[in-house]
Amino acid sequence: MTTLPGMADEELLRLDQQICFSLNAASRAFGGVYRVLLRDLGLTYPQYLVMLVLWEDGELPVKRIGERLRLDSGTLSPLLKRLETAGLVRRERSQEDERSVTVTLTAEGSALRGRAGQVPRRLLAATGLPVEDLAALRELLDRVTVALDSADVEPAP
Amino acid sequence: MTTLPGMADEELLRLDQQICFSLNAASRAFGGVYRVLLRDLGLTYPQYLVMLVLWEDGELPVKRIGERLRLDSGTLSPLLKRLETAGLVRRERSQEDERSVTVTLTAEGSALRGRAGQVPRRLLAATGLPVEDLAALRELLDRVTVALDSADVEPAP
DNA sequence: CGCAATTGAGTTGTGCGCAATTGAATAGCG
DNA sequence: CGCTATTCAATTGCGCACAACTCAATTGCG
């Protein structure tokens, strides 16, 4: 792993600041636009993510949803409970394995897909970037994610 | 605003999905590395951001901190109270303007800067990307942030 | 088979982000 | 000058992320 030899800690402190600021700002900016786009559907952004995977697969165990979205039960359990209260989803213990809970779309949940149809187009338009740039952005993000996930950072400085 | 005319809603749904996944994953990956690096200092990542701006300026009113980090009082008030409890920071009402609260580093807070010196270097190394790629990433993130912030998305789909 | 280890959901507690509101201090206008 | 509008911090309420834990069901090993 490169140690960035030619730079003083002071400079790095600033560069570091810029990178985390940029990522943070972008993340919050996306969140803000999604919030507006989804308000009408009564969904938050993480709830929208869950609905996306359910719209693809119809029904899934909680475990699979968590794997797809990298969310744990501490996040999913209350979130799914809210989706159930909203009438979009049903939760039932699996019969083959009583530990597992299967999440199924209700008719209302499936119907919501139609109303969500314009969300991606409007979001991509709001980014103001051509599709090629978005692809480049995604590629960089994925590379940095893989590296960060596999970098085992030692706790002690 | 362009409507990305040549693509079906289905394709856009996937692209949209991929982009939010990637951004989400990157954000969480950064968070995880920062968490490990900062554990020792007793700081969370947002607390670290506040310390960064204080290390630069020594003392700042809450308002200015919020402007720099784009955080509102609902986030900053309890966060600063925790930093004060940890002994890193003092909070005092300004005398010129009694509405304003000035946040000042304590000796302990200033001293923490030394121990944080290796954090940026270690973080940048963990990204596994050359500095030019990180600059490109930052540039794309900033562009998309500006666009998203200035795009006034209409609430109704 | 029987018991320990693992797995899957759920719960609790802490901290952050955002919206909406409160309350006090200041600024600005008539 | 006096009243209204604005500004600043703090608070409340909700939802999410993460860690640590509980508990039941299942797996697997001796």
Side-chain angles (χ1 to χ4, degrees):
Chain A
M1 197 61 67
T2 154
T3 45
L4 310 168
M7 286 172 105
D9 281 355
E10 287 299 318
E11 295 176 69
L12 287 176
L13 213 89
R14 268 198 302 283
L15 177 56
D16 161 80
Q17 204 179 61
Q18 287 174 7
I19 287 179
C20 36
F21 278 22
S22 294
L23 190 77
N24 237 23
S27 190
R28 291 175 53 247
F30 267 98
V33 172
Y34 269 115
R35 192 170 305 115
V36 176
L37 291 177
L38 295 174
R39 181 158 302 154
D40 236 68
L41 307 179
L43 293 177
T44 66
Y45 173 62
Q47 288 167 9
Y48 172 69
L49 294 182
V50 171
M51 293 303 287
L52 282 178
V53 304
L54 287 175
W55 285 330
E56 242 180 57
D57 284 25
E59 79 172 41
L60 281 171
V62 173
K63 185 73 194 313
R64 293 270 162 278
I65 298 176
E67 285 169 0
R68 293 261 205 107
L69 305 179
R70 300 179 189 274
L71 297 175
D72 67 358
S73 65
T75 301
L76 279 177
S77 287
L79 188 156
L80 291 169
K81 209 175 285 186
R82 282 186 283 272
L83 288 181
E84 188 173 42
T85 303
L88 303 175
V89 135
R90 240 173 323 125
R91 293 185 304 152
E92 307 163 308
R93 291 263 156 207
S94 163
Q95 284 159 1
E96 306 93 59
D97 186 341
E98 292 265 334
R99 294 171 301 182
S100 176
V101 169
T102 301
V103 181
T104 313
L105 285 173
T106 62
E108 196 179 341
S110 296
L112 200 61
R113 183 178 197 170
R115 295 215 289 138
Q118 291 298 312
V119 169
R121 165 167 275 122
R122 297 182 67 204
L123 180 96
L124 294 178
T127 63
L129 292 188
V131 176
E132 315 87 61
D133 286 17
L134 290 176
L137 174 60
R138 192 169 68 74
E139 203 257 334
L140 280 171
L141 288 172
D142 288 346
R143 270 163 61 199
V144 80
T145 300
V146 169
L148 288 173
D149 278 344
S150 65
D152 54 347
V153 186
E154 274 128 48
Chain B
M1 198 61 65
T2 151
T3 43
L4 309 169
M7 289 172 102
D9 279 356
E10 286 299 318
E11 294 176 71
L12 289 175
L13 209 94
R14 266 197 303 282
L15 178 55
D16 159 81
Q17 205 178 61
Q18 287 173 3
I19 287 180
C20 35
F21 275 26
S22 295
L23 191 77
N24 239 24
S27 192
R28 289 179 54 248
F30 267 98
V33 173
Y34 269 116
R35 192 171 303 117
V36 176
L37 291 177
L38 296 174
R39 180 159 303 154
D40 232 69
L41 307 179
L43 294 176
T44 67
Y45 173 61
Q47 288 166 9
Y48 172 69
L49 294 182
V50 170
M51 294 304 286
L52 281 178
V53 305
L54 286 174
W55 286 329
E56 246 180 56
D57 284 26
E59 79 172 41
L60 281 171
V62 174
K63 183 76 193 309
R64 294 271 162 277
I65 299 177
E67 286 169 358
R68 293 261 204 107
L69 305 179
R70 298 177 191 277
L71 296 175
D72 68 358
S73 65
T75 300
L76 280 177
S77 287
L79 188 155
L80 291 169
K81 208 175 288 185
R82 283 186 282 271
L83 289 181
E84 188 173 43
T85 303
L88 302 175
V89 137
R90 241 174 320 122
R91 293 184 305 149
E92 307 164 308
R93 292 261 156 209
S94 163
Q95 284 159 3
E96 305 93 59
D97 187 340
E98 293 264 334
R99 293 170 303 181
S100 178
V101 168
T102 301
V103 181
T104 313
L105 284 173
T106 62
E108 195 179 342
S110 296
L112 199 62
R113 184 179 196 170
R115 296 215 288 137
Q118 290 297 314
V119 169
R121 166 166 276 121
R122 298 181 69 204
L123 180 95
L124 292 178
T127 63
L129 291 187
V131 177
E132 315 87 61
D133 285 17
L134 290 176
L137 174 60
R138 193 170 66 74
E139 203 256 334
L140 280 170
L141 288 172
D142 289 346
R143 270 164 62 199
V144 80
T145 300
V146 169
L148 288 172
D149 278 345
S150 65
D152 53 348
V153 185
E154 275 127 47

